[in-house]
Amino acid sequence: MITKGYIKQLFLFFLLAMVVVILFASQEKPFVTASEDTAETVNENDQLADKLDEILRHESLEGTSTSVSVREANTGEQLYARSGDERLHPASNMKLLTGAAAMETLGPDYRFTTEMLTDGNINGNALQGNLYLKGKGDPTLMKGDLDQFAKELKDQGINVIQGDLVGDDSWYDDVRLSLDLNWSDEPYYTGAQVSALSLSPNEDYDAGTVIVEVYPADKAGSKPDVSVTPATDYVTIVNEAKTVPAGEKKDISIERQHGTNDILIEGTIPVDGTRSRSWVSVWEPTGYALDVFKKSLEENGIKLTGNSDVTKGVAPKDATVLASRKSMTLEELFIPFMKLSNNGHGEILAKEMGKVVHGEGSWDKGIDVIEDVAADLGVDRDTILLRDGSGMSHKNMIPSNELTKFLAAVQDKSWFPAFEHSLPVAGAPERLVGGTLRYRMTSSPAQDNVVAKTGSLTGVSTLSGYVTSQDGTELVFSIMLNNYLGNSDTSIEDSIATTLAKHEFQ
């Protein structure tokens, strides 16, 4: 039987339901049904996500750590992220942060200086006192520049230096290698020692290295011919290689022995074989620069008569500057730095920023500057760990979301055009245009469109930069692959970047 009380409860429930319906109807519609335009935008982002997710399901990524982030360049809006907040090793993508910090603190017109000084006087054809070569970090100093210094002395009528040739590298501290550099990397140009006074063998400006070339001898059984550029007695060639008959295998190893300047050459090179060439780092580059400068003096007929002949020290504050040399601008240096991913430049810039900003040319002070600039550009300093300027450290850590945030923010800087111009360009065949991307993404729409910094270490491969989509939407992206085995699978990165270039948002 239906009682009056039951009918009353039913009526009250009906009234309450009506109130809820009226209140809900009075609210704004939820985001997902706001408008056709919004729905289309969400759908387009979903389509992009589907494409990128499919690429990232590739079997080669099984067991790896992967972080991918994509943003709209002008607004910084997040368009896609896969583990975007996961901290991974950036490898040479670290140079993006170092480079931006250098542009911000030093400026694109900044130049390094090298000075030739004396604490003595010129008397007739003699310089009575020590001759100092003072380095201030210039990675572009070459043999020709030291020849010019010697010529300027000769032009002043100086034939004799009655004192020592002294190398002053006190502009930076005396720590030669970054904290986490692998022992196995140290003999090669990628892990060259950093000194405020150093020398580069050619226009790639790999400071602190010599170029060693091995050519076959005229007949089998003889030792190969070896040349060193620039010519220097600072390194010793230990030639244990052998020239073999024509057609046999070439297998030449060129490696400096740790802790020494003995460069060991081993293996075989056929009579009809092509040269083998390697950029080899030197141990203590200050002495290397001094040895080559001494040769320049001798070649110009200038004799040293000091007790120690060549030594290391600090020029007195009141020493007279006899000549000085300015490097190219930072904007110009950024071409070999970024295009060729020059590790030495990254470490030198870190120390230079420490010297200029904090008065100490050390990695610690330089990294402080890099972190400060990164934070000013929106990077969350509480989620990054920076240990060097080049990215050689396996302890550097940064999420891809922070890198894309940074890449979007730097576009507002006055120096951004120079910064962007220094990045490798996909598929551009010229070495100092395409750089480390010149053999990658060599067809449309990625070719000449993707502008990005590469990165590679054992188990690490990265690519971060800029691309314009098919409909003209400017994008920033960061792809970080860590903990893979075997060779770097850059095809995943190229596929993602090409997908972004092909995508249409409208």
Side-chain angles (χ1 to χ4, degrees):
M1 178 180 292
I2 299 176
T3 65
K4 291 182 178 179
Y6 179 81
I7 294 173
K8 183 177 181 180
Q9 287 180 346
L10 188 64
F11 179 73
L12 291 174
F13 179 80
F14 175 78
L15 287 177
L16 180 61
M18 289 297 293
V19 169
V20 171
V21 169
I22 293 170
L23 287 173
F24 183 81
S26 68
Q27 302 300 310
E28 292 183 3
K29 293 180 180 180
F31 174 76
V32 292
T33 59
S35 68
E36 277 191 312
D37 290 341
T38 301
E40 285 181 17
T41 301
V42 172
N43 187 47
E44 288 295 339
N45 288 351
D46 286 345
Q47 289 180 14
L48 176 62
D50 289 343
K51 294 174 184 177
L52 299 185
D53 286 344
E54 179 63 28
I55 295 170
L56 293 172
R57 279 193 285 268
H58 195 276
E59 61 182 8
S60 66
L61 296 180
E62 291 181 6
T64 67
S65 298
T66 303
S67 182
V68 179
S69 178
V70 181
R71 295 181 189 270
E72 202 280 321
N74 294 324
T75 65
E77 177 191 355
Q78 186 90 56
L79 302 178
Y80 178 85
R82 166 70 70 88
S83 301
D85 292 326
E86 182 175 348
R87 289 182 289 272
L88 296 182
H89 307 311
S92 282
N93 278 196
M94 178 65 206
K95 293 183 177 74
L96 292 167
L97 301 181
T98 303
M103 281 289 186
E104 181 71 2
T105 59
L106 304 176
D109 295 328
Y110 189 81
R111 298 175 187 265
F112 295 88
T113 304
T114 306
E115 297 173 334
M116 182 174 62
L117 312 95
T118 185
D119 56 5
N121 300 296
I122 299 175
N123 187 2
N125 68 347
L127 175 62
Q128 296 176 330
N130 294 325
L131 181 66
Y132 295 87
L133 184 64
K134 183 177 179 64
K136 295 184 177 180
D138 184 6
T140 71
L141 191 69
M142 296 177 62
K143 171 68 162 65
D145 301 309
L146 301 183
D147 291 342
Q148 182 60 34
F149 276 158
K151 183 178 182 301
E152 291 187 41
L153 285 177
K154 190 71 173 180
D155 289 345
Q156 295 182 48
I158 297 173
N159 295 324
V160 178
I161 297 173
Q162 296 175 346
D164 295 330
L165 176 60
V166 183
D168 183 348
D169 60 17
S170 61
W171 187 251
Y172 298 156
D173 64 11
D174 59 2
V175 179
R176 296 290 184 242
L177 297 171
S178 58
L179 188 63
D180 304 321
L181 187 77
N182 290 333
W183 184 89
S184 57
D185 290 319
E186 182 272 325
Y188 306 105
Y189 76 99
T190 52
Q193 296 185 17
V194 176
S195 169
L197 177 58
S198 192
L199 204 63
S200 290
N202 72 353
E203 286 80 7
D204 282 0
Y205 305 118
D206 292 296
T209 70
V210 294
I211 300 174
V212 178
E213 296 176 305
V214 180
Y215 297 86
D218 293 334
K219 61 180 181 178
S222 300
K223 290 184 179 296
D225 297 323
V226 179
S227 69
V228 177
T229 304
T232 176
D233 297 325
Y234 197 66
V235 299
T236 300
I237 298 297
V238 181
N239 188 357
E240 296 184 359
K242 183 180 179 181
T243 305
V244 295
E248 293 195 17
K249 182 181 179 181
K250 184 177 80 168
D251 183 17
I252 290 291
S253 169
I254 304 170
E255 183 173 336
R256 180 175 57 77
Q257 302 302 286
H258 182 73
T260 76
N261 276 313
D262 295 337
I263 299 176
L264 178 62
I265 300 174
E266 296 180 305
T268 58
I269 185 169
V271 169
D272 61 344
T274 57
R275 73 176 178 187
S276 288
R277 180 171 62 171
S278 182
W279 276 251
V280 181
S281 70
V282 301
W283 189 267
E284 282 295 335
T286 299
Y288 162 46
L290 283 177
D291 181 78
V292 175
F293 187 32
K294 181 183 177 183
K295 288 187 177 299
S296 295
L297 294 172
E298 293 170 347
E299 289 165 2
N300 279 272
I302 300 174
K303 183 180 179 181
L304 286 163
T305 63
N307 295 326
S308 300
D309 198 8
V310 176
T311 187
K312 179 181 169 182
V314 179
K317 290 183 179 180
D318 60 352
T320 302
V321 177
L322 298 173
S324 65
R325 188 256 184 192
K326 294 282 189 182
S327 73
M328 63 180 63
T329 65
L330 191 63
E331 179 175 352
E332 295 169 304
L333 180 65
F334 260 50
I335 298 301
F337 170 40
M338 291 293 217
K339 300 283 190 185
L340 306 181
S341 200
N342 191 303
N343 290 333
H345 295 174
E347 308 304 358
I348 288 167
L349 288 172
K351 287 201 173 189
E352 188 70 6
M353 286 185 280
K355 181 68 175 182
V356 170
V357 176
H358 297 295
E360 179 182 302
S362 68
W363 268 289
D364 285 346
K365 295 301 182 183
I367 290 170
D368 284 346
V369 177
I370 297 171
E371 288 180 347
D372 288 344
V373 173
D376 289 344
L377 289 167
V379 174
D380 181 0
R381 68 164 73 233
D382 292 332
T383 193
I384 63 173
L385 177 63
L386 309 183
R387 301 273 289 190
D388 65 11
S390 68
M392 284 289 282
S393 172
H394 277 272
K395 294 182 180 178
N396 290 320
M397 291 188 290
I398 185 169
S400 63
N401 275 348
E402 298 302 314
L403 270 180
T404 54
K405 193 187 304 181
F406 155 84
L407 288 170
V410 297
Q411 296 175 108
D412 293 331
K413 293 293 183 178
S414 61
W415 42 260
F416 176 72
F419 178 84
E420 183 182 34
H421 179 66
S422 72
L423 298 178
V425 178
E430 298 86 351
R431 184 166 178 265
L432 292 180
V433 177
T436 53
L437 280 180
R438 62 190 181 278
Y439 302 125
R440 294 171 58 178
M441 294 175 278
T442 55
S443 60
S444 181
Q447 185 180 29
D448 296 324
N449 181 2
V450 175
V451 178
K453 185 71 196 73
T454 57
S456 180
L457 288 173
T458 301
V460 177
S461 186
T462 56
L463 184 70
S464 300
Y466 304 88
V467 62
T468 302
S469 71
Q470 196 73 31
D471 64 351
T473 303
E474 295 180 355
L475 306 171
V476 296
F477 68 90
S478 178
I479 308 162
M480 306 175 73
L481 311 178
N482 280 202
N483 304 316
Y484 62 80
L485 300 177
N487 296 325
S488 171
D489 191 358
T490 57
S491 63
I492 297 293
E493 299 161 4
D494 294 353
S495 182
I496 291 174
T498 300
T499 297
L500 295 176
K502 289 179 178 179
H503 191 70
E504 292 190 49
F505 290 92
Q506 298 175 359

